[in-house]
Amino acid sequence: MVNWLEGIILAGFSLFFMVAPYEIKYSGKVFFVVGSIGLLIIMFLKYKYRFYRGFLMINPLNKPFLFFGFACLFSILFSFNPSHSQGIFFDRYLVYFTFFLIGFWLIAKSLKNLYFLVFVFILAGFVFGVGGIRDMIYWSRINPSVVERLWTVFGRYIPYYNFPLYLVYFTPFSFSISVFSKNKWFKVVGLISLILGLFCLVFNTSRAAWLAILLAAVFIICLKASRVKGVILFVLIFLIFLSAVVFNKQERLKTIIDPNQWSGRLPLYKSAIAIFRDYPLWGVGVGMFEKVLHYSKYELPLNYPVAKELNLHAHNTYLEVAAEMGLLGLLSFLSIFVTFFWKAIKKIRSPGDMSKNTQAIFIGLSASVFAALVFAFSTTYITVGVNNSCYFWLLFGMAAGMLNREDDLKAGTVPTMRGQSLHGDKYKKY
């Protein structure tokens, strides 16, 4: 029964990798329910009335998450509307943590799970890139104005303008797999996915995605790449921007450093900063930015180009967290990622018994998380939305699960906080 349920969870979240980019929210909600119930039943079957022990896995991010949980509690208690804030917490934050927990659990449990999920993730990026290039070629012949900026995959529009976000997820991972993997099939598919993703990146012209992927490539080079591989990556990055110029995208390049050309984001940033300045400790409450933004003191200029009812978020994850949860919430939120990268960098530089293929996967997942965090400076998605944000937290959970992943760990060794694995196998304590 347990093995059967574990297989359902693995298959379900693998399917989520494939379908989430093309659907608005229902797949995320469905897999949240399936994953939550399945994991709860598994833990109950294993531990009976002490089922909660199965969730207390050794994880260097436990304390930062607990710190952030307390920050959420205080933000809800001192919210302008506690009822709305607690609803947002359960509708969003609890869902995201569940995706993180399942990603962590699947990877910590079995090396086979890791390779299966990675294969599906690479396949998802490959399909995404093929569909994007197909649409670019098709529409450039039928109606060139449609592909001035690429937004579709196999004719399907990616909801909420999230086309560049998924490129941010897929492309850094493909970088790492194509450069570091010793598995020829992973390497070939990763390289093809990388090339397809880079072409899509050029034709989507997202400045934030360009910057996020560029910095992720630099992250990879600085941590692990040899001099020769570093030169290759820099040449590849240079070709991206050269292609942007060749395909008449130079205007987008010129406006990267001009805040007034950031698609109307500057007034939103100013409102978020003003809210944070007035409520620096607890903020105005979880999920309250969409309400407070329309208070007279913080509302956008009358000539703002977007309709008032459509302005709900700051288009900057960190400014929105600061406005909603204050300094305590922002610091606790950032501590999750600071702790992860502190551990990840040490793991990348001293991989221990990790094979080259496993190292390539871990570097790729870490780079994708890094790129996603950079991209979050231009949009609010890590703490808002369903599929797009759940995608991030699932990837982040997988990356965190690899922090205590050793190739000689056998399947079914999920460590607990008590310093002993579920089956008495070896563990790594933080």
Side-chain angles (χ1 to χ4, degrees):
M1 181 66 172
V2 169
N3 291 337
W4 182 70
L5 287 172
E6 289 174 352
I8 289 178
I9 293 175
L10 177 62
F13 283 84
S14 299
L15 181 61
F16 176 77
F17 269 144
M18 297 297 298
V19 304
Y22 315 103
E23 194 270 322
I24 296 177
K25 59 185 178 180
Y26 295 107
S27 60
K29 292 184 176 181
V30 167
F31 290 117
F32 163 69
V33 173
V34 171
S36 300
I37 295 176
L39 196 57
L40 188 62
I41 294 174
I42 289 172
M43 296 307 170
F44 183 77
L45 290 174
K46 284 186 174 182
Y47 306 107
K48 306 301 180 184
Y49 296 108
R50 294 187 177 183
F51 65 92
Y52 56 88
R53 296 181 62 183
F55 295 102
L56 300 178
M57 297 173 285
I58 289 180
N59 181 354
L61 305 184
N62 280 338
K63 290 182 180 179
F65 268 116
L66 184 62
F67 183 26
F68 182 67
F70 280 117
C72 289
L73 176 61
F74 283 113
S75 182
I76 291 170
L77 291 175
F78 292 98
S79 172
F80 283 17
N81 187 337
S83 177
H84 177 76
S85 291
Q86 64 87 23
I88 292 294
F89 175 81
F90 286 105
D91 286 345
R92 297 180 190 168
Y93 290 29
L94 185 61
V95 174
Y96 303 150
F97 183 70
T98 300
F99 271 79
F100 170 86
L101 189 64
I102 289 175
F104 183 94
W105 176 77
L106 285 172
I107 299 310
K109 175 158 184 60
S110 169
L111 192 63
K112 292 180 180 179
N113 290 350
L114 170 65
Y115 278 92
F116 186 80
L117 284 171
V118 164
F119 172 78
V120 175
F121 182 55
I122 294 175
L123 181 61
F126 177 81
V127 172
F128 193 91
V130 170
I133 296 299
R134 175 264 181 197
D135 284 9
M136 184 270 293
I137 296 173
Y138 176 77
W139 288 112
S140 63
R141 294 177 179 177
I142 305 299
N143 186 355
S145 63
V146 174
V147 291
E148 184 176 345
R149 292 193 67 183
L150 182 62
W151 295 108
T152 62
V153 175
F154 290 114
R156 188 173 183 85
Y157 172 75
I158 304 302
Y160 302 118
Y161 299 98
N162 278 323
F163 186 96
L165 172 60
Y166 289 101
L167 292 178
V168 167
Y169 291 148
F170 295 134
T171 308
F173 189 81
S174 298
F175 262 121
S176 179
I177 293 297
S178 61
V179 172
F180 300 114
S181 178
K182 297 301 181 181
N183 184 298
K184 64 178 182 180
W185 294 110
F186 271 15
K187 201 175 190 71
V188 170
V189 177
L191 181 60
I192 295 173
S193 296
L194 173 62
I195 294 171
L196 294 171
L198 293 179
F199 270 106
C200 290
L201 187 67
V202 169
F203 283 95
N204 175 258
T205 70
S206 169
R207 294 162 295 191
W210 286 348
L211 182 61
I213 292 172
L214 169 64
L215 292 179
V218 173
F219 172 81
I220 292 173
I221 293 167
C222 293
L223 285 180
K224 200 68 178 179
S226 65
R227 184 175 301 176
V228 174
K229 290 179 179 179
V231 171
I232 293 173
L233 287 176
F234 269 120
V235 169
L236 196 56
I237 294 165
F238 172 76
L239 290 176
I240 298 173
F241 292 100
L242 179 62
S243 300
V245 174
V246 170
F247 290 106
N248 296 318
K249 308 298 183 184
Q250 57 266 38
E251 288 301 320
R252 300 286 292 178
L253 288 172
K254 292 177 182 178
T255 58
I256 287 179
I257 59 175
D258 184 2
N260 293 312
Q261 299 295 321
W262 292 351
S263 303
R265 286 177 170 83
L266 196 57
L268 289 166
Y269 295 171
K270 290 180 178 178
S271 294
I273 292 171
I275 295 171
F276 173 65
R277 186 172 56 242
D278 290 344
Y279 304 94
L281 189 57
W282 311 116
V284 294
V286 173
M288 285 299 296
F289 183 85
E290 62 189 68
K291 306 290 186 182
V292 178
L293 179 62
H294 301 298
Y295 289 9
S296 58
K297 186 176 181 179
Y298 309 113
E299 64 183 356
L300 300 173
L302 294 176
N303 61 348
Y304 193 73
V306 180
K308 182 177 180 179
E309 61 272 13
L310 298 178
N311 294 312
L312 302 175
H313 303 290
H315 278 280
N316 182 307
T317 298
Y318 310 104
L319 288 180
E320 187 158 328
V321 170
E324 292 184 348
M325 300 182 63
L327 188 61
L328 180 63
L330 179 62
L331 291 178
S332 62
F333 181 69
L334 293 177
S335 71
I336 296 171
F337 304 108
V338 170
T339 303
F340 168 77
F341 282 107
W342 178 263
K343 299 290 185 180
I345 290 171
K346 292 197 296 185
K347 184 74 172 178
I348 291 170
R349 289 179 172 171
S350 301
D353 295 332
M354 268 190 173
S355 69
K356 295 295 184 181
N357 290 326
T358 310
Q359 289 180 51
I361 292 170
F362 182 57
I363 294 169
L365 289 173
S366 300
S368 290
V369 170
F370 179 86
L373 293 174
V374 174
F375 192 74
F377 280 99
S378 71
T379 187
T380 306
Y381 78 96
I382 293 177
T383 57
V384 174
V386 184
N387 289 4
N388 53 345
S389 297
C390 290
Y391 217 94
F392 168 82
W393 289 103
L394 182 60
L395 286 174
F396 184 44
M398 291 171 59
M402 294 191 70
L403 287 176
N404 50 341
R405 170 86 261 162
E406 299 286 354
D407 278 2
D408 58 351
L409 284 177
K410 298 179 181 180
T413 61
V414 184
T416 70
M417 286 293 291
R418 294 181 176 271
Q420 183 178 3
S421 72
L422 302 185
H423 299 286
D425 298 305
K426 65 179 290 187
Y427 67 93
K428 189 172 183 178
K429 190 172 184 179
Y430 290 89

